[in-house]
């Protein structure tokens, strides 16, 4: 929690609001711009003393509920409310559901990366979009049911008929830890999303390992910078893994690349030539 930055942010937003912006009479001439601190406290349903201490950088960390009330009182946008939570060191909570629609520009970008395996993943680990090389390296996502395109389900429940966990990924244990950590954060952002809550329920009921890891409440996991796949056509393929955040939709663009001139790069080139359609019969035969 950055108390001084939080205090400065609160003051700046309060001073930009006029009484009439929040349905209050402007009254006589004011000595300071914007709302008074006690007016914000009334609107946020918290004590004036506590709000004053927040602006003086002397208050303890506010709860998520208090921050949400202050965000409403100060008429913050979603982005500003998220920033408020970040300054307070509290994960922002969203009342809606996570997004599954992918920006057209991102879809175009995927198609313009022929030497890179790329896919877009939702906050609930659903694979939403992919390019041909990603399908050739991992699996032809177009042939899978939506639940089978969920990486969290594949990592823990492995309900797909091939019996291959997580598309042939070698280090599944590390990815499982990452999934649990991220789903804790996702639930904090979307506490009322039925899809998120349903996914976590299914994983806790269907996987003893997930239930055990979930109860540990780990909040940090070292991101994997490389991944190795055991592919039925080309054998082991090790790729660099870069994950880009698509902040406007709370999604991630995952990119797999191989070092130029390496055996792995040759394998990726071969997969690009073969494509997912020819490889699908190899996987299921």
């Amino acid at each position: 929690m950055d108390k001084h930055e939080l205090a400065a942010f609160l003051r700046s937003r309060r001073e930009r609001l006029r009484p009439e912006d929040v349905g209050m009479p402007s009254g006589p001439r004011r000595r300071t711009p914007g709302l008074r601190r006690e007016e914000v406290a009334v609107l946020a349903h918290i004590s004036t003393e506590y709000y004053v201490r927040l602006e003086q950088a002397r208050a303890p960390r506010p709860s998520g509920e208090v921050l949400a009330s202050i965000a409403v009182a100060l008429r913050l946008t979603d982005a500003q409310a998220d920033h408020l939570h970040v300054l307070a060191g509290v994960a922002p909570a969203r009342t809606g559901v996570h997004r599954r629609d992918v920006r057209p520009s991102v879809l175009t970008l995927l198609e313009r990366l022929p030497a890179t395996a790329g896919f877009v993943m939702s906050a609930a680990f659903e694979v939403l979009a992919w390019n041909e090389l990603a399908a050739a390296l991992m699996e032809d996502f177009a042939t899978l049911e939506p639940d089978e395109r969920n990486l969290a389900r594949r990592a823990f429940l492995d309900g797909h008929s091939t019996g291959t966990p997580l598309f042939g990924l070698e280090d599944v244990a590390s990815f499982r830890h990452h999934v649990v950590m991220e789903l804790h954060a996702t639930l904090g952002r979307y506490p009322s999303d039925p899809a998120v809550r349903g996914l976590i329920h299914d994983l806790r009921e269907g996987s003893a390992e997930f239930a055990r890891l979930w109860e540990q409440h780990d909040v940090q996991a070292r991101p994997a910078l490389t991944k190795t796949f055991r592919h039925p056509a080309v054998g082991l393929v090790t790729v660099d893994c870069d994950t880009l955040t698509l902040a406007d939709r709370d999604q991630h663009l995952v990119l797999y690349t191989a070092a130029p001139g390496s055996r792995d790069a040759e394998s990726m080139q071969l997969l690009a030539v073969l494509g997912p359609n020819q490889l699908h019969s190899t996987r299921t035969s």
Side-chain angles (χ1 to χ4, degrees):
M1 173 179 174
D2 192 328
K3 290 186 176 182
H4 294 283
E5 286 295 325
L6 175 61
F9 180 72
L10 290 174
R11 287 194 301 270
S12 71
R13 304 318 306 177
R14 175 176 59 80
E15 291 172 355
R16 297 186 188 192
L17 277 180
R18 300 171 300 174
E20 51 266 35
D21 293 333
V22 296
M24 288 184 170
S26 57
R29 182 178 179 85
R30 294 173 176 242
R31 294 182 178 180
T32 58
L35 295 180
R36 298 186 178 97
R37 293 185 179 92
E38 57 267 28
E39 291 171 335
V40 175
V42 168
L43 291 170
H45 305 288
I46 60 177
S47 72
T48 299
E49 179 185 2
Y50 181 68
Y51 183 79
V52 169
R53 293 178 66 191
L54 280 174
E55 284 205 6
Q56 293 175 342
R58 296 190 300 112
R61 174 179 291 157
S63 67
E65 291 79 6
V66 168
L67 290 171
S69 296
I70 292 175
V72 172
L74 293 177
R75 304 300 192 263
L76 301 185
T77 65
D78 288 345
Q80 291 167 344
D82 284 354
H83 183 62
L84 174 67
H85 281 73
V86 169
L87 292 177
V90 177
R94 294 173 171 84
T95 57
V97 298
H98 71 286
R99 296 185 65 167
R100 294 184 174 95
D101 57 314
V102 181
R103 283 205 317 265
S105 60
V106 175
L107 297 176
T108 300
L109 175 62
L110 282 174
E111 295 304 317
R112 292 181 177 178
L113 298 172
T116 299
F119 62 93
V120 177
M121 184 175 65
S122 76
F125 284 91
E126 300 145 312
V127 176
L128 304 174
W130 56 90
N131 62 12
E132 288 289 296
L133 187 52
L137 174 65
M138 300 171 72
E139 194 156 350
D140 190 357
F141 296 109
T143 67
L144 303 179
E145 295 296 326
D147 279 357
E148 293 175 337
R149 294 199 294 266
N150 187 292
L151 302 189
R153 291 185 184 276
R154 287 293 292 270
F156 286 99
L157 302 181
D158 189 24
H160 191 50
S161 59
T162 64
T164 303
L166 206 64
F167 313 106
L169 182 66
E170 284 284 284
D171 189 5
V172 177
S174 175
F175 182 75
R176 285 172 175 161
H177 279 84
H178 173 72
V179 166
V180 174
M181 180 198 71
E182 289 295 331
L183 284 180
H184 267 296
T186 297
L187 182 61
R189 297 195 302 275
Y190 304 98
S192 60
D193 187 333
V196 171
R197 301 189 70 87
L199 171 64
I200 293 170
H201 174 270
D202 291 349
L203 293 173
R204 295 183 74 176
E205 291 294 316
S207 170
E209 182 180 6
F210 180 89
R212 176 181 61 81
L213 293 172
W214 184 262
E215 294 304 322
Q216 292 178 359
H217 293 279
D218 289 338
V219 295
Q220 289 185 341
R222 181 176 299 176
L225 301 181
T226 62
K227 291 185 182 294
T228 298
F229 293 87
R230 183 175 295 276
H231 196 280
V234 298
L236 294 179
V237 183
T238 298
V239 291
D240 294 323
C241 175
D242 293 285
T243 302
L244 309 180
T245 300
L246 308 176
D248 64 317
R249 282 166 168 74
D250 198 13
Q251 297 167 356
H252 291 92
L253 174 61
V254 182
L255 302 174
Y256 295 146
T257 56
S262 65
R263 177 194 173 280
D264 299 306
E266 294 176 356
S267 296
M268 293 284 275
Q269 291 173 359
L270 178 58
L271 290 174
V273 172
L274 294 175
N277 293 331
Q278 295 186 47
L279 291 170
H280 182 64
S281 59
T282 303
R283 293 177 187 269
T284 56
S285 60

